[in-house]
Amino acid sequence: ACGNCWTAQYDNSSSTYDQVSNAIGVNAGGDVYVAGYQGTASNGTDALLLRYNASGTLQTGFPSTYNGSANSNDAWTDIAVIGGGGTIVCYVGGYARRTSTLDDYSLAAYKSDGTFANGAGLWSTADPVFYDGAGSTEAAGTDRGYAIEYASTTGRVYISGKATENVPANNTVNITTLGYNASTGANVWSASYDYGSDAIVGTDEMAWKYGLLVQYNNQYCVDDIYVEGDSYKSCGFHCNGYDYLTLKYSCGTCVD
């Protein structure tokens, strides 16, 4: 028998586009948060956050949507729900279309009423915060965050995905992982991985929301950050292709 089962369906009746949920999280009180995106009639897609209580009732202030500056493709791809009764109830990460063709990482902190945390004097830098890998030289749709993790012990939020890192200026796409202060939104750590021999062509990327894991290391008092993805390997005409890639970083004093 099921004593507290329910079904909740969300439909944006003003649009014929599908709504897509990418991630879900539940807090200690049973509130359910769902993150993804929804289609619009004129803006492409907007990032979308829903909150239901333990009985399946959509809460006041939700759905909460975010439309980036370019009125185009925006999405939350992952969510980290936190408890404890604080002002910030969850973090969401993904990407935002900020010019007519270019995406950037996006990361935001939300309050329980569906508004950004900077309205409460938190995340004073900005909310969402963005990361642009290489400015206007990158290919369309390149800078995209796919996974986030909240590290409660160190008070950080990490986001990982793929970003153009033009060193040299050749549109090489690297696995880029960033750490932010969970209370202020300030960037405190970053790491980018590029397979050594593909400097001219190739994509190194972490493209799924479960490709990032953060665990606190009690022995060394650091966050151990694990990233799983794939790496383009250019070694001649007959062996170009992708390899599995697993990375491990440790961030304590925010030095690699």
Side-chain angles (χ1 to χ4, degrees):
C2 181
N4 187 26
C5 296
W6 48 266
T7 299
Q9 183 174 346
Y10 171 75
D11 178 27
N12 176 17
S13 59
S14 64
S15 171
T16 58
Y17 290 86
D18 290 336
Q19 329 309 314
V20 177
S21 54
N22 289 325
I24 190 169
V26 182
N27 68 13
D31 289 339
V32 180
Y33 292 83
V34 182
Y37 63 88
Q38 69 175 14
T40 68
S42 58
N43 297 340
T45 63
D46 288 347
L48 174 72
L49 180 67
L50 305 172
R51 177 193 174 201
Y52 298 95
N53 66 13
S55 299
T57 302
L58 187 65
Q59 297 299 282
T60 302
F62 297 87
S64 180
T65 60
Y66 173 73
N67 175 30
S69 56
N71 290 329
S72 191
N73 297 335
D74 310 299
W76 302 131
T77 56
D78 200 8
I79 188 170
V81 173
I82 64 175
T87 301
I88 296 175
V89 297
C90 72
Y91 300 94
V92 288
Y95 54 88
R97 182 66 57 88
R98 302 186 69 207
T99 71
S100 60
T101 60
L102 302 181
D103 296 340
D104 290 337
Y105 280 39
S106 60
L107 183 68
Y110 272 97
K111 300 189 300 178
S112 61
D113 62 359
T115 60
F116 290 137
N118 62 354
L122 300 172
W123 280 53
S124 55
T125 53
D127 197 351
V129 293
F130 303 103
Y131 176 75
D132 181 5
S136 61
T137 59
E138 68 199 57
T142 299
D143 292 345
R144 291 193 168 189
Y146 287 109
I148 69 169
E149 280 271 89
Y150 170 63
S152 59
T153 304
T154 55
R156 300 194 184 108
V157 181
Y158 295 92
I159 183 170
S160 189
K162 61 179 181 178
T164 301
E165 307 287 355
N166 285 353
V167 184
N170 49 39
N171 289 339
T172 297
V173 180
N174 297 341
I175 294 179
T176 300
T177 308
L178 308 168
Y180 291 86
N181 184 307
S183 297
T184 67
N187 178 235
V188 294
W189 179 83
S190 64
S192 181
Y193 175 84
D194 177 25
Y195 181 79
S197 66
D198 72 348
I200 296 177
V201 295
T203 299
D204 307 306
E205 62 181 343
M206 190 282 290
W208 307 102
K209 73 181 187 70
Y210 43 78
L212 175 66
L213 176 67
V214 178
Q215 294 185 334
Y216 185 69
N217 187 318
N218 288 288
Q219 182 176 359
Y220 296 104
C221 302
V222 298
D223 287 332
D224 284 337
I225 304 154
Y226 300 89
V227 184
E228 186 277 329
D230 53 64
S231 177
Y232 184 83
K233 183 178 182 181
S234 179
C235 54
F237 179 77
H238 294 290
C239 68
N240 291 347
Y242 289 91
D243 290 342
Y244 275 50
L245 177 68
T246 305
L247 304 171
K248 179 185 177 182
Y249 301 100
S250 290
C251 180
T253 58
C254 297
V255 176
D256 292 11

